[in-house]
Amino acid sequence: MLDSLQLWLEGSALSHFINWSSWVWPIGECLHFLGFTLLLGTVGLLDLRLLGMAKELPPGTFERLVRWGIAGFAVCLLSGVMFFVGIPGGYIDNPAFRLKLIFLALAGVNVLVFSRTVARGVEGLRPAETAPLAARWMAGISLLLWVAVLCAGRMIAFFKP
Amino acid sequence: MDPFYAWIEHTALSIWIRESLSIFAFPGILTLHTLGLAFLAGTQVAIDLRILGVASLVPIAPLRRFFVVSWCAFWVSLVTGMLLVVAYPAKALTNPLFYVKLTLITLATWTAVRVGSALAVGAGEGDAGAASARRLAAASILLWTGAIVSGRLLAYTYTRLLSDL
């Protein structure tokens, strides 16, 4: 099934566009890194605050900053899909890519659990107030998972078949 | 310069980084370099965005506490970056874009120092220092973007891999 997916993707118009100019790929990589930097920076600051750094900052005020991180993630998603469609054979059987997808899925689950459990309490935290233990755990897991996503992503190049 | 590149390439450290099959050699060092730059540029750009008015309810002065993370990331990037140059000196040092990247990193780091001292004296909260803090923040975002782009494009613009190639 993965083989037919690969053949279909390789024949698609998008795949032809990506391989049409030698500049499409490097520009996509730059955007991929810039988008991730925005995500790691904004979400990272919130995670660090929840873990106890710069506790004078009320976490509820971070929302607009995190939106820029979500925009960065959208850029990563679009450029990432472009890489996959461009050269599906470099990713489908790539262990680093598979690991990255697992870390991404776990990061997504972490965001979902956070927003459904502790998010409301975190929004109400006052300056100098310590985040609840569950929120601190999820902040630490978030940081670790985004670091893991970056590491696995950087390793994709070394595991291309 | 070729004898100099060749001398570096023949050191045990250079050979290990280049030729070892360990994941902690070239791939690991490159990954740490990427991670360092992502944390350095990421934390700084997020702080710059706040100075420029994003999430204006976030108090500005305490943001300087995050600089310790930026500086740790800076040293990780610097040390791993030097190791990458030791592994492939000719590849980096014969590429004009490498010097563009170094210049952008230097300028961006200098703006980070200036933003840090502006926050320490309480600039950016609507006083006379706010306008100059905003100019610094805008320059910082452009410089980090340029540093990341030039760094990524090093892989596409080198003309020599080793001193004898």
Side-chain angles (χ1 to χ4, degrees):
Chain A
M1 193 203 81
L2 286 177
D3 285 346
S4 54
L5 171 73
Q6 182 175 341
L7 278 176
W8 177 70
L9 288 175
E10 281 168 355
S12 68
L14 181 59
S15 188
H16 285 297
F17 165 73
I18 292 155
N19 294 294
W20 159 71
S21 158
S22 58
W23 282 104
V24 176
W25 196 278
I27 291 170
E29 285 183 336
C30 290
L31 293 172
H32 202 64
F33 193 168
L34 291 171
F36 188 82
T37 302
L38 211 46
L39 174 72
L40 187 71
T42 53
V43 173
L45 290 195
L46 176 59
D47 288 338
L48 288 169
R49 159 59 182 95
L50 295 178
L51 285 169
M53 191 177 265
K55 277 169 84 174
E56 301 96 317
L57 300 171
T61 59
F62 278 64
E63 195 201 335
R64 301 254 163 181
L65 212 48
V66 171
R67 275 192 207 175
W68 282 70
I70 295 169
F73 182 79
V75 171
C76 286
L77 195 62
L78 288 174
S79 47
V81 167
M82 187 197 89
F83 299 142
F84 187 83
V85 175
I87 309 183
Y91 296 91
I92 288 177
D93 287 325
N94 189 317
F97 177 69
R98 292 186 169 186
L99 207 52
K100 179 177 175 175
L101 287 189
I102 292 170
F103 291 140
L104 269 173
L106 291 173
V109 169
N110 190 48
V111 169
L112 265 181
V113 173
F114 182 90
S115 67
R116 285 176 183 223
T117 55
V118 295
R120 197 164 292 246
V122 161
E123 273 169 36
L125 284 175
R126 289 185 299 275
E129 215 176 346
T130 303
L133 184 63
R136 297 208 299 277
W137 268 102
M138 286 178 224
I141 289 168
S142 160
L143 270 180
L144 282 178
L145 283 173
W146 291 119
V147 166
V149 165
L150 181 144
C151 292
R154 181 58 273 199
M155 287 289 179
I156 288 172
F158 300 99
F159 288 91
K160 281 198 172 158
Chain B
M1 288 304 281
D2 281 17
F4 174 63
Y5 303 146
W7 171 70
I8 296 178
E9 284 165 10
H10 286 96
T11 60
L13 179 63
S14 179
I15 293 168
W16 178 76
I17 300 172
R18 223 174 28 246
E19 297 180 3
S20 168
L21 295 175
S22 164
I23 204 168
F24 298 108
F26 189 79
I29 292 169
L30 185 60
T31 300
L32 269 183
H33 188 64
T34 310
L35 191 62
L37 186 57
F39 264 103
L40 172 58
T43 50
Q44 286 301 311
V45 167
I47 291 167
D48 294 331
L49 285 172
R50 167 59 194 94
I51 293 172
L52 287 170
V54 174
S56 54
L57 294 174
V58 175
I60 285 188
L63 290 172
R64 72 177 187 278
R65 302 206 188 282
F66 293 122
F67 272 64
V68 64
V69 177
S70 308
W71 292 126
C72 286
F74 170 80
W75 288 108
V76 170
S77 302
L78 184 66
V79 170
T80 51
M82 287 163 81
L83 290 174
L84 294 172
V85 175
V86 165
Y88 291 99
K91 182 185 179 186
L93 301 173
T94 60
N95 187 347
L97 190 63
F98 179 73
Y99 299 96
V100 172
K101 177 184 168 177
L102 282 194
T103 307
L104 290 170
I105 292 278
T106 309
L107 292 172
T109 306
W110 181 66
T111 59
V113 172
R114 299 247 335 245
V115 167
S117 33
L119 294 186
V121 299
E125 303 269 20
D127 59 5
S132 89
R134 276 200 296 274
R135 277 196 297 274
L136 271 179
S140 168
I141 290 177
L142 289 177
L143 288 166
W144 288 121
T145 303
I148 286 172
V149 169
S150 55
R152 185 77 288 270
L153 296 184
L154 289 179
Y156 295 91
T157 50
Y158 67 89
T159 50
R160 295 173 65 185
L161 189 61
L162 292 165
S163 60
D164 55 358
L165 285 176

